Amino acid sequence: MSGRRRWLPALLRQPAGLFSSIVLALLVLAAAVSLLWTPRDPNEADTARAWLPPGPSFWLGTDGAGKDIVSQLLAGARVSVVVIVGAALVAGVLGIAVGALASLTARWVREPLAVLIDILIAFPTLLIAMMLAAVFGGSLIVVVAAVGIGYGVSIARVLRAEIAQVAGADFILAARAAGLGRLAIARRHILPNVAPVFIVQLSLSAALALLAEAALSYLGYGAPSGTPSWGRMLAQVQGYISVHPLAALWPGLAITLTVLALNLFGDALREATDPRLLRPSARPMDDADPADQALRLGVGR
Amino acid sequence: MSLVVQDLVVELGGRRVLDGVSFTVEQGERFGIIGESGSGKTLTALAILGLLPEQARVSGSVRLDDTELLGMPDARLASYRGAELSMVFQEPGAALDPLRRVGVQITQPLRSHYRISRRREQEEAVALARSVRLPDPERLVRAYPHELSGGQRQRVCIAAAIAAGPRCLLADEPTTALDVTVQAEILELFRELSRQRGMSLVFITHDLAVLAEVATRAAVLSHGRIVETAPVQRLLTAPEHPVTQALLAASARTAGGAPPPAGPRTPPGEEGR
């Protein structure tokens, strides 16, 4: 009973889990490698070699300023990792804290908080990020904070309903009857039972955060110039997309793959951590139980 | 030990759902509370444990020996729950956390009241599982609730309820969700545990036949009031109050004719989802 569930093998057994794990591992690897090495300086511009097609010296070609696309993709992965991890961290901590406060506390705390969440959700996250960027200047911290808070609030709203539902379950009452304190119940029973929803919401938020960063960088509010980012790459080639579609394809593909992987990863992780989905057929039979006798005879189902 | 409930009044949403409930349960006694659904049986049990919803207004007195439990701060009351008084619920499928192994749930009250080593805890889990006659206890404590049958789940709940050695066990219709054959075994288990451990039992049911199996004395509850308290034998042979007579008549009807109702039952594997 002390043994941990082996969720990693269960994650990798699923095709979606395997695929998304590989993509996300490659993303982290690319970001790490780019700290030490890129084929060329990602910011080294030279108009003499603009719009080169893929070839031996520029593997995926160059953009309109003559910058190497592979090097920019690798360096851009850093921004993506920072945004994904940072926004997920902010959104996750905020979501759990506010979601729990809005569902488990006394009525005079939780009800105004629920209204506040609804008000905050009404503000478009991207708009807040643009306003913050206009005041504080475009930086990754502003992007991470704005996107993290924005999605944190929506996670809080989902968790509030979910926690309230779990808190009303019989096994919570049973845990209280067993003498467990409220904090222990929240930690041992409520959080694990809302974790599946939380994981999916968090992976969704991470994916949306990456898209938001791309959008903000595209609009010029994201990463400061000189910091390569996939969104900025898209922005720079967008005017020439009909002439040089390949240059736009690579950053677009990188964003799409990462977002897809994050979405799939959340679902796969949820399935891998649920014991009911992990070992559905291991139920021992009870001979005294007529329902089991019926089951064995093939009746009833 | 004695559990004394005196003039217990509970108001929920402006309605008086319990109206002056009084009874005494002596050390080791098996006491029954019987009444039709909605009569306030479950509320009585929850009120004793201080587990009513926060908007409920409670007055009266619930004493365990000389300690007044009513109005006690929740944190202090928590030290009594599981250790002195504990409870078994109606739906064993819903009363177990679907994500935690059975063994951990059995020893939960031990962990919340005593410092106990992991090794010792595992031994206790197996011993408790054995004491409620779960088959293959070493393997079963490692299972998840969805892997057990309804009767096995209820045995797990009972094991958890007695884990920390409470002096009084409240059982709220613990056999209603089970099949008849399993029901008889569970009732026998309750009798045996109460006798072995000198533990008082407050057994809540709507079924006089079940009551007769497990309790020696009982209170009849109707619309939040106790209308009759008597030895079970007398309730069966010479019921005084019309409500008791009606319950007896209903019980005779089901015992004579078709198989007795096994209560609401979900298909196997669906419970607790």
Side-chain angles (χ1 to χ4, degrees), chain B:
Chain B
M1 191 247 31
S2 63
L3 175 72
V4 182
V5 176
Q6 242 168 16
D7 204 23
L8 185 64
V9 176
V10 173
E11 283 179 27
L12 252 176
R15 256 190 63 227
R16 205 167 248 234
V17 284
L18 282 188
D19 193 1
V21 169
S22 305
F23 59 86
T24 302
V25 184
E26 298 298 339
Q27 168 81 48
E29 185 182 7
R30 299 196 306 272
F31 186 78
I33 297 178
I34 185 164
E36 71 271 44
S37 43
S39 58
K41 299 170 301 210
T42 301
L43 282 169
T44 307
L46 293 179
I48 291 172
L49 283 170
L51 292 177
L52 288 170
E54 53 182 308
Q55 65 269 24
R57 290 182 32 210
V58 191
S59 68
S61 160
V62 175
R63 284 199 313 277
L64 192 66
D65 288 336
D66 294 323
T67 316
E68 176 63 57
L69 298 180
L70 222 62
M72 191 183 267
D74 195 69
R76 252 196 85 202
L77 195 52
S79 69
Y80 282 82
R81 293 190 201 119
E84 303 283 339
L85 280 163
S86 67
M87 182 159 171
V88 176
F89 292 83
Q90 177 169 352
E91 287 283 346
L96 292 171
D97 188 333
L99 299 184
R100 312 195 81 206
R101 289 180 198 273
V102 160
V104 190
Q105 305 203 47
I106 288 180
T107 49
Q108 178 82 71
L110 277 177
R111 267 197 314 281
S112 40
H113 295 292
Y114 306 104
R115 283 190 156 275
I116 173 173
S117 73
R118 238 209 157 80
R119 214 199 131 98
R120 177 78 200 287
E121 188 189 319
Q122 295 184 10
E123 290 165 7
E124 286 289 333
V126 173
L128 282 160
R130 188 168 288 129
S131 73
V132 295
R133 291 206 224 92
L134 276 164
D136 198 358
E138 283 86 1
R139 197 172 59 89
L140 221 124
V141 292
R142 301 187 47 82
Y144 288 96
H146 73 274
E147 299 169 320
L148 271 53
S149 70
Q152 289 173 341
R153 287 182 201 154
Q154 193 58 290
R155 286 176 197 272
V156 168
C157 291
I158 296 170
I162 61 169
R167 292 184 289 170
C168 179
L169 178 62
L170 304 163
D172 181 15
E173 303 245 16
T175 58
T176 309
L178 305 175
D179 301 284
V180 214
T181 43
V182 184
Q183 183 169 334
E185 291 171 20
I186 298 278
L187 291 177
E188 163 64 26
L189 180 63
F190 272 111
R191 273 201 310 267
E192 181 190 309
L193 289 173
S194 166
R195 206 177 307 129
Q196 274 174 4
R197 302 178 167 238
M199 179 177 68
S200 314
L201 185 66
V202 178
F203 197 99
I204 293 170
T205 181
H206 64 272
D207 188 343
L208 253 177
V210 167
L211 190 71
E213 285 289 307
V214 75
T216 51
R217 207 163 59 89
V220 181
L221 202 60
S222 176
H223 297 108
R225 284 176 205 222
I226 287 187
V227 294
E228 186 171 359
T229 306
V232 171
Q233 211 47 47
R234 203 161 82 220
L235 291 179
L236 287 170
T237 50
E240 276 171 22
H241 198 276
V243 172
T244 321
Q245 289 162 4
L247 284 166
L248 186 62
S251 160
R253 261 202 308 282
T254 48
R265 194 176 157 82
T266 39
E270 294 294 310
E271 291 165 58
R273 289 214 176 160

Side-chain angles (χ1 to χ4, degrees), chain A residues 7 15 62 78 82 92 100 107 133 135 142 155-156 169 175 193 203 227 232 243 253 257 268 270 279-280 290:
Chain A
W7 56 269
T62 57
R78 290 204 295 258
V82 167
R107 182 179 280 192
V135 177
V142 168
I155 290 180
N193 274 284
S203 71
T227 312
R232 180 184 304 280
V243 197
L253 201 62
L257 267 180
R270 180 184 62 83
R279 321 196 306 185

